[in-house]
Amino acid sequence: MAQWTSAVGAAQLARLLTSQQEGPAGPGTRRPPAYRALADGIRLLVLEGRVPVAARLPAERELAPALSVSRTTVASAYEALRTEGFLESRRGAGSWTAVPAGNPLPARGLEPLPPEALGSMIDLGCAALPAPEPWLTRAVQGALEELPPYAHTHGDYPAGLPALRAMIAERYTARGIATMPEQIMVTTGAMGAIDAICHLFAGRGERIAVESPSYANILQLMRESGARLVPVAMAEGLSGWDLDRWRQVLREAAPRLAYVVADFHNPTGALADDDQRRRLVDAARSAGTVLVADETMSELWLEKDLDRATMPRPVCGFDPAGSTVITVGSASKAFWAGMRIGWVRAAPDVIRGLVAARAYADLGTPVLEQLAVNWLFSTGGWEQAVELRRGQARENRDALVAAVRRELPDWEFAVPRGGLTLWVRAGGLSGSRLAEVGERVGVRVPSGPRFGVDGAFEGYVRLPFTVGGAVADEAAARLAAAAHLVATGATTGTEAPRTFVA
């Protein structure tokens, strides 16, 4: 019986490998033999999750012409991968990808670093900050005081606690978007909201248009749901969306859904202006596409001249009929990642459909956490906690920017006015190789392809505003060490990370 569960064609593998190609070799760079370069490329694709574990690779005779190399080169590369534990083969069944014993399974998403690794590893993988105390403790205490009446019920509220639904609706209304509680469903984080929307609107094989790049975990969620992702390139720099490209994709591909982050986009930090939002909603309406607007970063403005009054109007504000835009919000980015409370704002019939479908998923969101968020909203604690969060993110951003500019002056980026992430062009180096070598020198950083579709953005890494001060300096120094190893080709062997305590 074959041990592989999926297959990668020769043309697809060649395209993925081509996306890894680096810039011209610098002085002192040692280029590996062709077979070694091919083996390293396939190994990186497996480690990045862009080629799944247990995926059947093309036969040597098929891959060689696709890569314009000899069959001997492919055979030698496959043999090297078998020796290292990244490939298994059996006569009659072919060869399929694997990971050596003891290695963690790769994934396309972003996972938190295990706590036991924090002493030696600086984690730039997840864009999440510690809780803004004392507000977390106060919110939980307030929730406990409100809990007794709910404890006498079954505790299942598929649409969310009525009090929290009303509070969220009131907050939208205060922003100029008239909203009823019937237009709100509380979810288990923004991921739970997007998952529910995808299951309701985009069945297996349906097209979903996504920004390119986009948030890695959402892209992976959509892939696993069986969606066909249609990437739409962002405009240059931090200027938001390229509306000509969006109109073309919506017209020609006719996707069922489109997913966008208009407020301090993850990972680029771009902020779409009012005109872009209006035009995108109009284009989606004309194409019959449901536009999902992710607002999880909308309150994380970091510049003094930005506030609620000067921020662009919410995307749903350009859809007065409520037939085109579904809005997703969350407490996880603005408050704390451990507060797994999200919400959906949509037309009442859409909310009813989402609630009905939820009976076969998670049934509802934890009551205590809903009460904690409701306490924050109703007491003014939310505004004070988020202001604290903005201050933390602003200080970290400025420290990280200064450190990277000092240690890696050839890396290119634009400083965003909000959000939690810096999107960096890594001086012509491979983001995948930087990620791999970075772990060996003690810094964890996600490579660009995690945020793209089909191998895009190999020359990028994403740096979140999660560390500051001396830790930001040390993180940049370790990134510089990793960049030197990648640039000189000295990426074999093991570098022992230094223990660092903030």
Side-chain angles (χ1 to χ4, degrees):
M1 180 178 177
Q3 302 298 307
W4 49 272
T5 57
S6 61
V8 180
Q12 180 186 7
L13 184 56
R15 186 168 62 253
L16 291 169
L17 289 165
T18 300
S19 75
Q20 294 180 332
Q21 290 180 353
E22 303 176 35
T29 300
R30 302 196 305 270
R31 290 297 191 193
Y35 86 90
R36 184 68 260 173
L38 176 54
D40 287 347
I42 294 174
R43 175 173 52 82
L44 280 172
L45 291 174
V46 174
L47 289 172
E48 280 286 301
R50 286 184 281 155
V51 169
V53 176
R56 186 181 186 275
L57 296 185
E60 298 164 7
R61 65 178 181 278
E62 297 172 348
L63 185 57
L67 296 175
S68 299
V69 300
S70 70
R71 184 172 175 180
T72 301
T73 296
V74 177
S76 299
Y78 278 14
E79 181 58 33
L81 290 168
R82 277 189 286 269
T83 300
E84 296 162 5
F86 286 94
L87 196 68
E88 296 180 9
S89 305
R90 195 174 70 227
R91 186 179 298 277
S95 299
W96 57 92
T97 56
V99 292
N103 278 39
L105 288 175
R108 291 297 300 273
L110 307 172
E111 307 80 29
L113 188 69
E116 61 270 16
L118 292 175
S120 61
M121 186 75 69
I122 297 176
D123 186 10
L124 298 181
C126 294
L129 289 163
E133 288 288 32
W135 297 106
L136 174 62
T137 299
R138 292 180 181 177
V140 173
Q141 290 170 342
L144 288 172
E145 293 176 1
E146 298 292 332
L147 183 60
Y150 296 94
H152 295 291
T153 73
H154 50 64
D156 287 334
Y157 296 88
L161 293 184
L164 181 56
R165 296 176 72 195
M167 182 60 67
I168 295 171
E170 182 180 316
R171 290 174 65 85
Y172 276 107
T173 300
R175 295 167 65 187
I177 314 298
T179 304
M180 303 179 295
E182 292 78 10
Q183 292 177 262
I184 302 295
M185 181 178 84
V186 181
T187 62
T188 307
M191 292 289 289
I194 300 296
D195 184 56
I197 293 166
C198 287
H199 278 88
L200 183 64
F201 284 94
R204 184 166 295 276
E206 292 276 7
R207 295 185 181 93
I208 301 179
V210 294
E211 295 150 327
S212 184
S214 188
Y215 179 37
N217 285 346
I218 293 295
L219 294 180
Q220 184 63 9
L221 182 155
M222 291 174 175
R223 290 187 189 96
E224 292 184 357
S225 73
R228 298 163 61 190
L229 302 185
V230 182
V232 186
M234 298 287 289
E236 287 298 318
L238 298 178
S239 54
W241 300 318
D242 184 328
L243 268 299
D244 290 336
R245 290 177 178 171
W246 269 105
R247 277 195 299 269
Q248 180 181 1
V249 167
L250 294 177
R251 182 176 62 250
E252 296 178 358
R256 186 71 181 92
L257 285 179
Y259 170 77
V260 297
V261 184
D263 301 290
F264 310 121
H265 173 260
N266 187 355
T268 68
L271 177 64
D273 61 30
D274 281 334
D275 184 59
Q276 290 175 321
R277 296 170 191 232
R278 179 185 297 105
R279 292 165 62 194
L280 183 57
V281 172
D282 289 345
R285 185 183 298 113
S286 297
T289 297
V290 175
L291 184 63
V292 180
D294 187 333
E295 286 191 337
T296 55
M297 298 281 189
S298 65
E299 296 191 61
L300 290 176
W301 56 81
L302 304 182
E303 299 298 344
K304 299 295 186 181
D305 63 331
L306 287 177
D307 56 27
R308 178 59 68 197
T310 56
M311 281 286 290
R313 187 172 172 80
V315 175
C316 60
F318 300 99
D319 180 35
S323 59
T324 299
V325 178
I326 297 177
T327 303
V328 171
S330 171
S332 298
K333 293 298 184 185
F335 185 75
W336 184 48
M339 187 66 77
R340 305 306 304 163
I341 297 295
W343 53 85
V344 178
R345 181 200 180 275
D349 62 319
V350 172
I351 295 297
R352 287 192 294 270
L354 291 170
V355 171
R358 194 174 196 180
Y360 309 103
D362 64 353
L363 294 178
T365 303
V367 169
L368 189 62
E369 291 185 27
Q370 292 187 72
L371 289 172
V373 172
N374 192 59
W375 183 92
L376 288 166
F377 285 158
S378 61
T379 63
W382 176 268
E383 283 69 26
Q384 295 182 66
V386 174
E387 183 60 33
L388 177 61
R389 169 68 80 235
R390 292 189 197 108
Q392 292 174 322
R394 185 185 303 113
E395 291 179 6
N396 288 353
R397 180 197 64 178
D398 295 346
L400 186 64
V401 165
V404 172
R405 282 176 172 166
R406 181 178 61 252
E407 298 287 345
L408 294 150
D410 59 332
W411 285 21
E412 303 172 42
F413 54 86
V415 181
R417 307 187 72 205
L420 290 172
T421 57
L422 196 67
W423 185 238
V424 181
R425 191 191 302 269
L429 301 178
S430 161
S432 296
R433 296 180 190 275
L434 283 167
E436 181 195 19
V437 178
E439 296 232 7
R440 298 209 301 268
V441 300
V443 61
R444 185 171 183 257
V445 58
S447 67
R450 289 180 179 268
F451 304 89
V453 176
D454 209 12
F457 306 109
E458 182 59 54
Y460 289 79
V461 294
R462 190 196 73 170
L463 306 180
F465 310 145
T466 52
V467 297
V471 186
D473 293 339
E474 179 67 14
R478 294 185 187 188
L479 283 172
H484 174 73
L485 291 172
V486 172
T488 59
T491 57
T492 57
T494 302
E495 308 293 330
R498 295 171 288 175
T499 299
F500 184 80
V501 178

